[in-house]
Amino acid sequence: VRQHWSNDGEAFSKPKPNLARFHSFLQTLNDLSDGKRFPFTFQITDPLSNSFIGPPPMITMDNHYVDPSLTVEEFERTFEQNEMLGLNDMSA
């Protein structure tokens, strides 16, 4: 992997250590996606409920499909999460 640190037209620089770690992380994600590393657990904590993990849209055409390998757990946000989101200061 080669990269420029500036747009001055000079020769490529050696990659920084963080770049190599990032590429390794991406390779791990690709391996998981390709089924080369099993088993694994993918855990998402999403206080605002903005995430969606599910099957491809063509599988869900009947709107009744439930993936047996997925577990959905509802939880109450902590005080700290509400504070970070500015929800503790809201009046009802």
Side-chain angles (χ1 to χ4, degrees):
V1 176
R2 301 180 323 164
Q3 67 186 99
H4 284 293
W5 290 113
S6 64
N7 282 332
D8 61 5
E10 294 296 321
F12 286 103
S13 306
K14 288 184 177 181
K16 290 189 174 182
N18 287 345
L19 181 66
R21 287 186 16 230
F22 182 68
H23 281 283
S24 175
F25 172 72
L26 290 179
Q27 184 59 51
T28 299
L29 290 180
N30 286 330
D31 289 348
L32 291 170
S33 174
D34 295 340
K36 295 177 183 174
R37 292 186 180 205
F38 280 105
F40 70 91
T41 300
F42 187 70
Q43 181 177 347
I44 297 176
T45 302
D46 182 10
L48 288 177
S49 298
N50 289 330
S51 298
F52 175 78
I53 302 294
M58 294 304 291
I59 293 177
T60 60
M61 295 295 275
D62 63 4
N63 294 326
H64 299 290
Y65 178 81
V66 176
D67 188 338
S69 65
L70 294 178
T71 302
V72 177
E73 295 182 20
E74 298 287 332
F75 64 92
E76 294 288 325
R77 283 187 293 267
T78 65
F79 179 86
E80 290 79 16
Q81 288 170 328
N82 283 336
E83 187 69 23
M84 181 178 64
L85 298 169
L87 300 175
N88 292 335
D89 299 328
M90 296 175 67
S91 59

